[in-house]
Amino acid sequence: MNFASVIVDVPAKQTDKPFDYEIPAAWKNLIKPGMRVVVPFGPRKVQGFVIDIKEEADYPKTRKIVEVLDLTPSLTPELLEVGHWLTETTLCFKITAFGAMLPAAMKAKYEKEILLVKEEFRDSLSQDVQPYFINSNSFAWSEAEKAGILPNLQKEIEKGLLEVYYKVSQKGNRKTTRYIKAALNQKQLLEAAEEMPAQARKQKELLEFFSETEDAAFTSQELQAAAAASDSTIRSLVKKGFLQEEWVESYRDPYADRRFEQTEPLSLTEEQEGAIKPILQKVEDGQHHVFLMYGVTGSGKTEVYLQSIEAVLQKGKEAIVLVPEIALTPQMVERFKGRFGSLVAVLHSGLSTGEKYDEWRKIQRKEVKLVVGARSAIFAPFENLGMIIIDEEHETSYKQEENPRYHARDAAIFRARKHNCPVVLGSATPTLESFARAKKGNYELLSLQGRVNSRPMPEVSIVDMREELRKGNRTMFSTELLEQLRNRVEKGQQSVLFLNKRGYSSFVMCRDCGYAIQCPHCDISLTYHRSGQQLKCHYCGHEEPMPSVCPECSSEHIRFFGTGTQKVEEELAKVLPEARVIRMDVDTTGRKGAHEKLLSAFGTGEADILLGTQMIAKGLDFPKVTLVGVLAADTMLHLPDFRASEKTFQLLTQVSGRAGRHLLSGEVIIQTYTPEHYSIQLTKQHNYLAFYEQEMQLRKQYAYPPFYYLALVTVSHPDLLGAVSASEKIVSFLQAQLQVSTQILGPAASPIPRINNRYRYQCMIKYKRENNLAAALKAVNERFQQEMQQNGLGISIDLNPYQLM
DNA sequence: AGCACGCCGACT
DNA sequence: GTCGGCGTGCTC
């Protein structure tokens, strides 16, 4: 086993293959697949992943591995497999897939340095560069560039006095703590203490201290406190060999200063029992299976998760729980930490790079048994997985919108298959894809339709904003909402106001009849383009002029839509000056911890109204909230996205669930210009099943998922013409490669037609069964390879896209 | 991605 | 004659 196949950290088509390296004799039995190494690559050094160890190299002129970065492989054999699967299913580079499975801190940082070849060359350096090497024998390339002395250095390099060195370092550092312990036994220590010269009073005392303790290790701070020992005393005793130092890895614990109240398993309702039984059975049997737990808000899904995990841990196995952007729900972390204490690692975007790395290390070192985290936590390096849970399965944040464009649900199922363990998908509003699979029997449906505390679902009323306008109310608050808000303030109860900011973009709607202009071929809203006063469809490229009157009712009040939280806050202050308002949006939650602060302020009753966007829709649970208002339910409904109705229904249901979760019953007011729309009407009725049926019909009619699969090819180019012609060529190429039954739409301008001065066109592929697809798309990449290198053509491929932009 | 090699125009 | 433009191709 003399050679290693390495995937190098150079994300490019030409380097997306293993390179063989010789393993230096000293590391022969040390290097294993999954380890990160540093290898020479051309003139520089790069990081790479060992994917294979072999007796012979496939290449005659191998070079040697220069550094080993891991003692234990950072990618387990199974995760290496997951990596290969990722490249195949998302068409990304191998290195991109591997990189995505590790915390950012482990990504290499590359630095160029200029090194003095030999100490004695220092005096031979020319006058202009010598000053830079007076105190050191290296000098950062970037500094040299700034100082403008590169040409001078070049000359010295040619003379052989200096050399260019490529340094590979890590972003995050392991945090270690120094512990001091005795190097001898207690008797020997006592003897040593007696032989200490009289002037070494402190050393003598410290030795005596150690001779009285058994086999304990202390940090220097502890010694300072316990024995008044200074660091210099410790050091000289270490030097004399009486004491020894020990470096132990320590963790930055983001939750160190927080106490989690220990909780006990609650007794389950009959429904919960019914749901947990089949899960426990699969855990017991060690069998792969996918469950879809469809449970209304407040039905106690989390308790089912907790008790299932309990069973997994009892079998000595590990579990992964995915939650959407967990930073937003400290309440969720609390529930897991409360039940499983220090067995839990938490991975989410609110942690620093170092903190994330530490949590990851805890998993790798098997110090935790459970990880709760956002999307990428699906790659937690557990080796004995017993269950994977995906909470709020419908959340779109489970799909990564950059390479590798994977969906955590797919990765979960792939891993669970390998580990023979169950996957539990939970949601009050499952995606149509998952629910359809459950109906077909691919997944097992578990249903929780009652709320744990038997509270009725909140009363939802829909306010027709067209009516308000007719009555002369031009503010963004309907009479009813305003009245109810005032009522809550008076009663000392709290309200949540939800503004859907997404879709601020520009769909066009009639303020009188609520008619939104749609594409005749795609059943999605057209987008308004100021340039040329045109309406465009981003799917098929259809175009039409912006009408001056509503095509439906001939009203002149037709215009495009959008508003922001700040404006709402101002208006609220005008109409309801007595209310104390907390506003939560990107502006007010920018700083780390600001989020939690605002939420806890609201929780302790420092405000009457919580006003916010998306981020307040999830997982909040405040007993005193009895009113939820949705200011404009339509904004999302008319996004150019075939999932718009689904997302609207999910969001409205989600938001409604924030009201009346405890003793006080709740009420929801939804303001809309399209009250008759089924996704709004069915929210009022709390009827997911009806929504599912209706939406499925439309999906079938327009050939969208789950009836068809989608693939999105986005072409970008510095010139408009280049983008157009390349995308046209791609479309015709694909038409030749793929089956007749596969639909290829476009090319059409991307919803964001120009980013960074690059024009973007896209085409969408709809297919049912297409074995050729991956091969055809790979072929596209290959065929346009030269153009991609030469004229700055870019091709991005998203299989099963979520965001169609 | 970097970087070197290599082949054509404007300069000491 | 050379410096330097960036097209081309390679990196185990």
Side-chain angles (χ1 to χ4, degrees):
Chain A
M1 296 301 148
N2 303 313
F3 296 92
S5 283
V6 174
I7 299 296
V8 293
D9 184 17
V10 182
K13 189 98 229 299
Q14 290 155 302
T15 52
D16 188 32
K17 57 172 187 180
F19 286 80
D20 288 351
Y21 287 88
E22 190 187 332
I23 302 174
W27 297 333
K28 279 267 149 73
N29 298 313
L30 196 128
I31 292 186
K32 295 187 185 71
M35 282 184 177
R36 294 167 307 142
V37 289
V38 175
V39 292
F41 197 64
R44 57 211 169 112
K45 295 194 186 75
V46 296
Q47 192 178 101
F49 289 89
V50 175
I51 55 161
D52 196 16
I53 304 287
K54 51 195 187 182
E55 200 58 66
E56 293 299 332
D58 300 335
Y59 190 82
K61 294 180 288 183
T62 55
R63 295 165 79 183
K64 282 184 185 174
I65 291 176
V66 295
E67 205 177 324
V68 185
L69 296 174
D70 292 319
L71 287 171
T72 23
S74 43
L75 292 174
T76 63
E78 183 237 345
L79 283 176
L80 279 174
E81 257 184 87
V82 174
H84 287 121
W85 170 81
L86 275 176
T87 29
E88 287 304 311
T89 52
T90 72
L91 303 177
C92 69
F93 302 128
K94 292 175 181 69
I95 191 65
T96 314
F98 292 149
M101 297 193 286
L102 296 177
M106 292 171 81
K107 279 232 181 71
K109 214 173 67 187
Y110 299 99
E111 265 174 298
K112 243 159 73 168
E113 277 182 350
I114 302 183
L115 219 62
L116 189 63
V117 174
K118 274 190 186 153
E119 203 51 38
E120 51 265 42
F121 290 170
R122 181 170 284 134
D123 298 332
S124 320
L125 289 173
S126 71
Q127 294 292 306
D128 42 359
V129 303
Q130 208 174 29
Y132 296 98
F133 289 87
I134 286 175
N135 297 317
S136 83
N137 50 8
S138 73
F139 187 49
W141 181 279
S142 56
E143 292 295 314
E145 214 166 16
K146 258 188 243 159
I149 53 162
L150 279 182
N152 312 334
L153 292 167
Q154 200 68 43
K155 288 189 197 115
E156 307 301 295
I157 291 169
E158 273 158 33
K159 280 192 245 163
L161 302 176
L162 298 176
E163 63 180 343
V164 180
Y165 182 78
Y166 297 84
K167 199 168 123 191
V168 183
S169 60
Q170 299 296 300
K171 279 186 185 148
N173 281 318
R174 218 167 276 181
K175 200 177 148 198
T176 51
T177 310
R178 185 182 64 154
Y179 284 89
I180 320 292
K181 61 180 194 182
L184 307 165
N185 67 34
Q186 283 164 293
K187 208 175 143 217
Q188 288 168 315
L189 284 175
L190 209 57
E191 283 165 17
E194 268 155 34
E195 282 164 29
M196 271 289 151
Q199 71 270 32
R201 206 183 74 246
K202 284 279 179 190
Q203 292 186 35
K204 193 173 170 177
E205 278 172 29
L206 190 56
L207 283 177
E208 280 164 357
F209 171 79
F210 268 98
S211 72
E212 285 156 21
T213 59
E214 198 135 356
D215 250 349
F218 303 90
T219 64
S220 61
Q221 291 93 322
E222 284 168 346
L223 288 179
Q224 178 85 58
S230 71
D231 205 50
S232 66
T233 318
I234 298 169
R235 236 176 309 157
S236 43
L237 283 172
V238 169
K239 217 171 166 187
K240 288 175 188 164
F242 297 135
L243 298 180
Q244 59 187 24
E245 291 176 320
E246 192 182 43
W247 292 90
V248 176
E249 184 172 345
S250 62
Y251 301 122
R252 290 150 272 217
D253 185 354
Y255 297 96
D257 53 343
R258 279 251 286 284
R259 305 265 310 151
F260 292 98
E261 201 137 320
Q262 195 67 32
T263 64
E264 293 299 321
L266 308 171
S267 62
L268 298 180
T269 65
E270 211 167 291
E271 256 192 343
Q272 285 174 314
E273 283 289 354
I276 201 171
K277 247 188 174 165
I279 300 175
L280 293 181
Q281 189 60 50
K282 297 296 173 192
V283 170
E284 187 55 40
D285 299 349
Q287 230 180 60
H288 172 63
H289 201 70
V290 182
F291 294 98
L292 175 62
M293 189 155 65
Y294 159 51
V296 299
T297 49
S299 61
K301 292 188 288 288
T302 312
E303 188 60 31
V304 175
Y305 301 152
L306 290 168
Q307 297 194 19
S308 313
I309 292 165
E310 185 106 54
V312 170
L313 300 192
Q314 252 159 34
K315 290 214 80 182
K317 295 191 176 180
E318 300 128 355
I320 296 174
V321 180
L322 296 189
V323 236
E325 250 347 308
I326 194 174
L328 310 188
T329 64
Q331 289 175 337
M332 195 70 165
V333 177
E334 221 163 278
R335 293 195 68 174
F336 285 91
K337 284 253 181 190
R339 191 68 58 87
F340 302 108
S342 58
L343 289 177
V344 186
V346 179
L347 282 170
H348 64 76
S349 62
L351 304 181
S352 71
T353 330
E355 286 169 338
K356 268 187 236 168
Y357 176 60
D358 287 349
E359 295 290 301
W360 186 89
R361 287 282 297 163
K362 285 188 206 163
I363 302 164
Q364 198 200 21
R365 297 174 63 161
K366 309 285 178 309
E367 291 169 16
V368 293
K369 289 285 182 184
L370 170 64
V371 54
V372 180
R375 182 179 58 231
S376 64
I378 194 59
F379 302 120
F382 283 132
E383 292 180 271
N384 194 14
L385 268 176
M387 153 137 51
I388 300 174
I389 292 169
I390 303 186
D391 190 33
E392 308 289 353
E393 172 266 348
H394 60 274
E395 271 298 316
T396 51
S397 65
Y398 287 129
K399 171 74 198 288
Q400 176 147 73
E401 287 299 345
E402 60 203 57
N403 278 327
R405 299 172 173 271
Y406 68 96
H407 196 294
R409 192 201 301 130
D410 303 330
I413 293 172
F414 182 84
R415 289 199 74 185
R417 235 189 228 122
K418 293 279 162 198
H419 287 272
N420 284 314
C421 76
V423 174
V424 180
L425 311 174
S427 176
T429 50
T431 52
L432 296 204
E433 283 92 331
S434 294
F435 203 78
R437 283 193 188 126
K439 281 200 132 187
K440 268 174 78 180
N442 294 348
Y443 299 168
E444 186 173 338
L445 187 66
L446 307 169
S447 191
L448 295 175
Q449 294 313 304
R451 298 183 111 183
V452 171
N453 49 12
S454 305
R455 300 285 336 162
M457 297 299 278
E459 189 72 34
V460 178
S461 46
I462 295 170
V463 176
D464 186 345
M465 290 303 277
R466 296 169 301 188
E467 202 56 48
E468 291 291 318
L469 191 69
R470 246 165 259 149
K471 283 191 287 186
N473 179 1
R474 296 191 169 269
T475 71
M476 48 186 102
F477 307 101
S478 59
T479 324
E480 184 179 353
L481 180 59
L482 195 58
E483 199 175 295
Q484 292 299 333
L485 281 171
R486 192 170 287 135
N487 168 282
R488 300 305 133 119
V489 175
E490 279 163 12
K491 282 201 283 195
Q493 295 175 359
Q494 291 182 304
S495 310
V496 169
L497 269 188
F498 180 80
L499 176 72
N500 199 347
K501 212 174 168 185
R502 281 268 297 296
Y504 180 46
S505 74
S506 30
F507 70 95
V508 174
M509 190 166 78
C510 172
R511 295 251 282 174
D512 276 324
C513 74
Y515 177 77
I517 299 176
Q518 307 247 307
C519 171
H521 313 297
C522 304
D523 195 37
I524 54 148
S525 302
L526 293 178
T527 306
Y528 172 72
H529 288 253
R530 191 164 295 175
S531 53
Q533 298 275 305
Q534 289 279 307
L535 299 178
K536 283 184 192 165
C537 171
H538 294 305
Y539 282 10
C540 68
H542 170 84
E543 252 178 64
E544 58 184 72
M546 167 79 184
S548 52
V549 295
C550 172
E552 203 72 359
C553 72
S554 305
S555 156
E556 285 177 6
H557 292 136
I558 186 160
R559 57 173 64 129
F560 59 96
F561 259 63
T563 188
T565 43
Q566 214 159 345
K567 212 172 146 209
V568 177
E569 192 182 22
E570 285 166 23
E571 276 211 32
L572 199 54
K574 270 185 232 155
V575 293
L576 209 64
E578 68 271 32
R580 298 161 299 161
V581 180
I582 289 181
R583 174 166 64 99
M584 267 181 79
D585 57 26
V586 270
D587 300 331
T588 61
T589 56
R591 272 174 302 109
K592 203 183 153 185
H595 211 119
E596 258 186 75
K597 224 181 203 166
L598 290 176
L599 284 183
S600 75
F602 186 65
T604 54
E606 285 172 37
D608 305 299
I609 298 172
L610 178 65
L611 164 67
T613 54
Q614 237 75 352
M615 53 179 77
I616 62 170
K618 262 163 254 159
L620 304 182
D621 191 355
F622 297 110
K624 278 168 76 186
V625 171
T626 58
L627 175 67
V628 169
V630 180
L631 287 172
D634 315 78
T635 51
M636 203 180 218
L637 201 51
H638 304 295
L639 279 179
D641 181 345
F642 71 91
R643 279 185 241 261
S645 302
E646 186 183 2
K647 284 179 183 164
T648 300
F649 181 81
Q650 286 165 349
L651 197 71
L652 292 180
T653 304
Q654 193 86 222
V655 175
S656 306
R658 301 305 120 222
R661 294 173 69 93
H662 293 264
L663 290 171
L664 303 163
S665 61
E667 192 181 341
V668 178
I669 297 176
I670 296 176
Q671 301 189 157
T672 171
Y673 289 90
T674 42
E676 65 284 352
H677 193 281
Y678 61 97
S679 61
I680 292 173
Q681 281 300 324
L682 293 171
T683 300
K684 177 182 165 70
Q685 297 168 23
H686 303 290
N687 194 343
Y688 171 79
L689 293 179
F691 174 81
Y692 169 81
E693 294 297 342
Q694 178 141 11
E695 183 68 13
M696 282 294 269
Q697 270 182 25
L698 285 171
R699 298 287 179 89
K700 189 171 186 180
Q701 191 179 339
Y702 290 98
Y704 281 120
F707 295 96
Y708 280 76
Y709 292 105
L710 299 183
L712 186 72
V713 179
T714 307
V715 173
S716 61
H717 198 283
D719 304 320
L720 181 60
L721 263 173
V724 174
S725 80
S727 54
E728 274 166 358
K729 272 189 251 168
I730 289 171
V731 167
S732 56
F733 175 78
L734 285 172
Q735 262 157 356
Q737 299 285 309
L738 302 174
Q739 295 167 26
V740 202
S741 63
T742 296
Q743 300 177 31
I744 301 172
L745 302 181
S750 206
I752 309 168
R754 193 168 65 145
I755 296 179
N756 279 332
N757 282 321
R758 296 174 64 84
Y759 290 87
R760 293 149 50 87
Y761 266 75
Q762 63 184 29
C763 79
M764 186 181 287
I765 305 159
K766 293 180 175 176
Y767 61 100
K768 266 201 152 87
R769 193 169 295 127
E770 186 63 81
N771 301 326
N772 232 353
L773 187 72
L777 291 174
K778 270 189 204 167
V780 166
N781 264 333
E782 244 136 70
R783 265 198 87 182
F784 292 88
Q785 185 62 39
Q786 316 98 292
E787 265 195 77
M788 286 167 82
Q789 279 181 332
Q790 286 164 17
N791 333 329
L793 171 70
I795 301 177
S796 131
I797 297 169
D798 193 348
L799 292 170
N800 306 317
Y802 264 68
Q803 202 159 315
L804 300 159
M805 313 222 207

